[in-house]
Amino acid sequence: MNDVAREVARLAAPSVDHAKLSALDLNLLVSFDALMTERHVTRAAARIGIKQAAMSHALNRLRGLLGDELFTRRPGGIEPTPRAHALSQAVREMLVRVAGALFVEQRFDPAREEHRFRLGMPASLEIAMLPVLIEHLTTEAPRISFAVAPLTATENFRALDTGELDIVIGPPLASSPHHKRRQICAEPYLCVFNPELVSPEGPRGTLTLRQFLAARHVRVSPRFDLPDVVDDALVELKRRRRVGVHTSCALGVAYIVERAPMIGILPRSAAQLAARQFTLACCAPPIALAKNRVVMTWHGSNDANAGHRWLRDQMVRTAAILGRARK
């Protein structure tokens, strides 16, 4: 690069107010991030290995520098102010970038690493994906463990931001620009039922539309007032179904239809698993349903993390294994 090019690059680079930033200790931002994560002064101090008095001192310095209370006391901890919430994402991303630039990450060796990954996913995916994932990692990564939380859109995406979850797997729900996502599969829905209680009237053991609409259904959606993919399809046909049971947990569907003359609609992997485990029948629904798209979402700050990349590769591989098994 010649002198002219260097000068152009220097002028184009974002400017930094060094005088103003010199008053800011990086440790204060580390303390701020710990307080946002823990929402408790004592636990935040323990998180970064300092005493409670030192954490309180850091918080007072931050309040003076930023001209805001940042955290207010509440029973059992502290509550961030709107200014703290506004700052939290930028502070977290900056700390991740600084750590990535200063501390070169070592290669992630799954055969030797001892680490727990935290996943958020709905029950239908947990029962289909998790056993396959664990089976293939038992010998490849014997010291890797997993913690799984149920999928709730608002809480899970917040948990990605605070670092409480590594990955959220589920339908493509609205997320923030700093979240990364990748579709790992798209599978059709199947009807699942007890053939001794619901006798298929269509060809090759299928349900007719008349039978589908006459039967009572087990409906799965996060809330009673939220439509699901079946409701959306029936609206287009100007039809309605009879809902006998509403549940937010797909795990309950097989238990219900095993004993009651009802029809459940599940993603193919979960439906086929239920059919094997409970001796149920499954078939394609007599109406056209959009496929169940499964998307993996993670925080952008983890994009280059070696361990996180390995985890994402394993989830893609697991989805591919399930896809081949269903063919």
Side-chain angles (χ1 to χ4, degrees):
M1 182 183 290
N2 58 36
D3 292 342
V4 173
R6 287 194 185 92
E7 182 62 15
V8 170
R10 184 186 69 80
L11 293 174
S15 61
V16 175
D17 189 336
H18 293 93
K20 183 177 290 186
L21 287 177
S22 65
L24 181 63
D25 182 347
L26 180 63
N27 286 324
L28 294 180
L29 298 185
V30 174
S31 297
F32 173 81
D33 187 64
L35 288 165
M36 283 296 300
T37 301
E38 296 293 344
R39 309 292 171 91
H40 192 279
V41 175
T42 302
R43 290 200 299 268
R47 187 182 184 93
I48 60 177
I50 63 176
K51 294 183 178 181
Q52 180 180 346
M55 178 60 76
S56 298
H57 178 67
L59 178 55
N60 287 331
R61 288 183 61 193
L62 275 168
R63 285 167 169 164
L65 282 169
L66 301 178
D68 189 88
E69 189 69 10
L70 296 177
F71 297 93
T72 57
R73 292 191 180 278
R74 62 172 175 79
I78 54 176
E79 182 68 26
T81 65
R83 178 76 191 283
H85 278 294
L87 289 171
S88 62
Q89 189 58 42
V91 170
R92 166 60 66 91
E93 291 182 356
M94 188 206 71
L95 291 175
V96 169
R97 289 178 182 275
V98 169
L102 296 181
F103 310 112
V104 179
E105 185 179 0
Q106 299 298 314
R107 186 176 65 88
F108 184 82
D109 184 356
R112 297 176 179 273
E113 293 283 344
E114 183 171 353
H115 189 81
R116 183 179 69 172
F117 289 108
R118 297 149 301 180
L119 313 175
M121 62 173 65
S124 59
L125 281 175
E126 182 177 344
I127 62 174
M129 295 190 72
L130 202 60
V132 177
L133 175 68
I134 299 302
E135 178 187 7
H136 284 81
L137 295 184
T138 299
T139 55
E140 295 179 21
R143 305 177 72 182
I144 298 296
S145 62
F146 296 90
V148 182
L151 181 66
T152 56
T154 303
E155 287 301 309
N156 277 189
F157 289 132
R158 183 195 65 79
L160 285 179
D161 294 341
T162 61
E164 297 169 50
L165 287 179
D166 295 299
I167 284 178
V168 169
I169 301 172
L173 303 171
S175 57
S176 301
H178 53 267
H179 293 145
K180 302 282 188 176
R181 54 166 57 174
R182 176 179 177 178
Q183 180 171 306
I184 59 176
C185 68
E187 58 180 359
Y189 287 89
L190 295 179
C191 297
V192 60
F193 54 91
N194 185 336
E196 296 182 0
L197 302 176
V198 178
S199 301
E201 298 176 354
R204 296 183 180 180
T206 59
L207 300 169
T208 64
L209 179 59
R210 184 201 66 79
Q211 186 180 22
F212 182 83
L213 295 175
R216 293 201 298 165
H217 287 233
V218 182
R219 181 176 178 272
V220 182
S221 65
R223 288 189 353 221
F224 299 114
D225 57 339
L226 286 181
D228 66 358
V229 64
V230 182
D231 298 324
D232 292 339
L234 289 174
V235 165
E236 294 295 319
L237 298 174
K238 296 182 171 57
R239 301 291 187 93
R240 294 181 63 183
R241 61 174 167 164
R242 299 172 60 210
V243 176
V245 177
H246 175 277
T247 177
S248 61
C249 180
L251 287 174
V253 173
Y255 290 93
I256 295 170
V257 302
E258 180 190 30
R259 293 176 173 268
M262 293 186 181
I263 297 171
I265 295 92
L266 294 172
R268 181 170 59 185
S269 55
Q272 291 179 339
L273 181 62
R276 289 195 301 270
Q277 298 294 325
F278 291 82
T279 318
L280 303 173
C282 57
C283 68
I287 58 174
L289 299 178
K291 284 190 174 183
N292 178 51
R293 292 174 56 208
V294 178
V295 172
M296 175 170 59
T297 307
W298 64 96
H299 197 281
S301 61
N302 286 320
D303 208 36
N305 180 283
H308 208 276
R309 288 200 309 269
W310 174 84
L311 172 63
R312 299 197 301 268
D313 289 343
Q314 301 314 305
M315 302 313 301
V316 171
R317 183 177 76 160
T318 299
I321 292 171
L322 283 171
R324 290 195 295 270
R326 291 190 294 261
K327 291 181 180 178

